């Protein structure tokens, strides 16, 4: 079962989305590109061309192991990040990559404790349906264990606690905002990606970063610059504004934000990197 089938299934993830699945069509296009789900509809092809700068016919048939989604606020990206994490833990068959007795980890990272608590709430909601709830064998404050040998860990960007584990998937929320707070455990998105990638080496699991764009620096900016619009790029970069991904968002919200602060609105809603935020030392 692919991830879109799971989202549409009333016994799996559909209750999490409610009855208005049509408004999530742009994200279905993104997931088809990420997972190599075929066939593509004309709408999918239009969305892929607009949001990746790529030729839809040249996307790899097997999908991507690394992806960066750069979308504005209220675009639904946090909910999709949680769904990807839940799918990789429970339904993607990643447990087949584990040795006997080995426990695999799906790591969900956020820059702050508040953002991590939101991810934890979304994950709990995703596993509420009876079929999925039956797979949960143990719950703790930072996540839960599943009967298939995979654990979900929701972390405040502290990669040091998972360095010795086998990782089957990594989902990073607001990746462009790591290291902005004083005393942050992770100083940059580059540091975080560098620490987490080796855990995926033996499982071939996905690394998914989802964020609003911010400063023109770090892993997010370099990945965007290298892969957006590049048909040969190894990383899927999906970059667009909030309303493209969430057509239910009122245009008046964006207009008010633009009138108040254009530079901030570019990051918050238009999916653009800021020109007025730079590193003191490059």
């Amino acid at each position: 079962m692919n991830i879109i089938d799971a989202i549409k299934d009333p016994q799996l993830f559909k209750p999490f989305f409610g009855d208005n699945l049509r408004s999530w069509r742009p994200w279905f296009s993104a997931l088809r590109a990420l997972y190599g789900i075929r066939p593509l509809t004309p709408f999918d092809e239009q969305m892929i061309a607009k949001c990746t700068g790529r030729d839809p016919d040249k996307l790899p048939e097997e999908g991507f192991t690394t992806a960066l989604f750069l979308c504005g606020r209220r675009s639904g990206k946090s909910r999709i990040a949680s769904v990807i994490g839940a799918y990789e833990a429970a339904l993607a068959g990643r447990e087949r990559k584990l040795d006997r007795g080995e426990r695999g980890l799906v790591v969900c990272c956020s820059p702050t404790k508040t953002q991590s608590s939101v991810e934890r709430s979304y994950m709990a909601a995703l596993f509420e349906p009876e079929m999925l709830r039956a797979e949960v064998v143990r719950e703790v404050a930072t996540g839960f264990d599943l009967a298939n040998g995979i654990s979900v860990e929701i972390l405040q960007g502290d990669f040091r606690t998972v360095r010795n584990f086998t990782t089957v998937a990594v989902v990073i929320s607001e990746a462009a905002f790591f290291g902005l707070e004083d005393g942050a455990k992770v100083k940059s998105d580059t540091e975080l990606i560098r620490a987490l990638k080796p855990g995926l080496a033996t499982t071939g699991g996905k690394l998914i970063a989802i964020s609003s764009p911010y400063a023109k620096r770090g892993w997010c900016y370099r990945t965007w610059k290298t892969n957006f619009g590049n048909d040969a790029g190894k990383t899927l970069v999906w970059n667009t504004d909030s309303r493209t991904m969430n057509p239910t968002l009122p245009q008046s919200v964006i207009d008010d934000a633009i009138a108040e602060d254009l530079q901030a609105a570019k990051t918050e809603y238009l999916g653009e990197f800021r020109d007025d935020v730079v590193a003191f030392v490059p």
Side-chain angles (χ1 to χ4, degrees):
M1 171 180 286
N2 67 50
I3 190 170
I4 295 176
D5 291 337
I7 290 172
K8 294 179 178 180
D9 193 320
Q11 297 186 77
L12 297 173
F13 297 148
K14 188 175 184 299
F16 181 71
F17 288 91
D19 295 327
N20 191 17
L21 276 183
R22 184 172 179 79
S23 66
W24 291 91
R25 285 179 69 206
W27 280 110
F28 289 173
S29 299
L31 292 173
R32 287 190 177 97
L34 172 62
Y35 281 91
I37 300 171
R38 299 294 185 271
L40 298 175
T41 68
F43 178 81
D44 294 331
E45 293 175 348
Q46 178 184 357
M47 287 295 300
I48 290 167
K50 174 182 179 179
C51 300
T52 71
R54 290 177 179 245
D55 182 343
D57 292 332
K58 295 181 180 179
L59 291 179
E61 294 183 2
E62 68 277 10
F64 295 84
T65 56
T66 306
L68 171 63
F69 294 94
L70 292 168
C71 307
R73 293 185 67 180
R74 314 312 303 173
S75 60
K77 61 184 182 293
S78 292
R79 294 174 72 88
I80 288 295
S82 299
V83 169
I84 291 173
Y87 176 79
E88 291 293 322
L91 300 170
R94 299 295 179 191
E95 65 274 10
R96 294 193 292 270
K97 299 287 187 176
L98 302 175
D99 292 333
R100 185 180 296 275
E102 185 178 30
R103 180 160 288 276
L105 224 57
V106 170
V107 177
C108 300
C109 287
S110 302
T112 69
K113 186 178 294 185
T114 300
Q115 289 165 331
S116 295
S117 67
V118 171
E119 296 295 328
R120 180 69 175 86
S121 297
Y122 282 158
M123 278 289 187
L126 282 161
F127 279 85
E128 282 181 359
E130 183 178 353
M131 184 178 294
L132 292 169
R133 190 170 63 247
E135 296 301 310
V136 179
V137 297
R138 186 177 75 99
E139 291 192 60
V140 295
T142 59
F144 45 88
D145 299 338
L146 301 180
N148 64 359
I150 291 178
S151 297
V152 176
E153 285 283 342
I154 294 94
L155 305 174
Q156 185 192 338
D158 190 355
F159 57 85
R160 292 168 295 185
T161 60
V162 297
R163 289 181 72 91
N164 294 325
F165 289 86
T166 300
T167 313
V168 296
V170 172
V171 181
I172 306 170
S173 296
E174 296 300 352
F177 292 87
F178 277 91
L180 299 186
E181 291 193 351
D182 292 337
K185 298 175 181 177
V186 177
K187 301 306 179 185
S188 69
D189 56 355
T190 301
E191 180 186 49
L192 181 64
I193 299 294
R194 186 180 295 128
L196 288 172
K197 260 196 167 182
L200 296 164
T202 58
T203 65
K206 294 186 183 298
L207 189 150
I208 310 297
I210 295 182
S211 183
S212 299
Y214 190 57
K216 292 182 176 180
R217 63 182 183 227
W219 181 87
C220 286
Y221 180 64
R222 289 196 309 274
T223 300
W224 172 82
K225 194 172 183 179
T226 302
N227 293 275
F228 186 84
N230 179 6
D231 285 327
K234 300 298 184 182
T235 297
L236 174 68
V237 174
W238 189 279
N239 180 207
T240 192
D241 61 282
S242 298
R243 268 182 57 84
T244 292
M245 301 311 291
N246 179 12
T248 68
L249 179 66
Q251 181 63 42
S252 59
V253 172
I254 300 171
D255 293 340
D256 290 346
I258 291 173
E260 181 179 343
D261 187 332
L262 176 59
Q263 287 298 324
K266 285 182 177 180
T267 289
E268 300 287 8
Y269 295 106
L270 303 184
E272 299 179 20
F273 286 95
R274 293 184 69 146
D275 293 316
D276 60 339
V277 178
V278 296
F280 177 67
V281 179

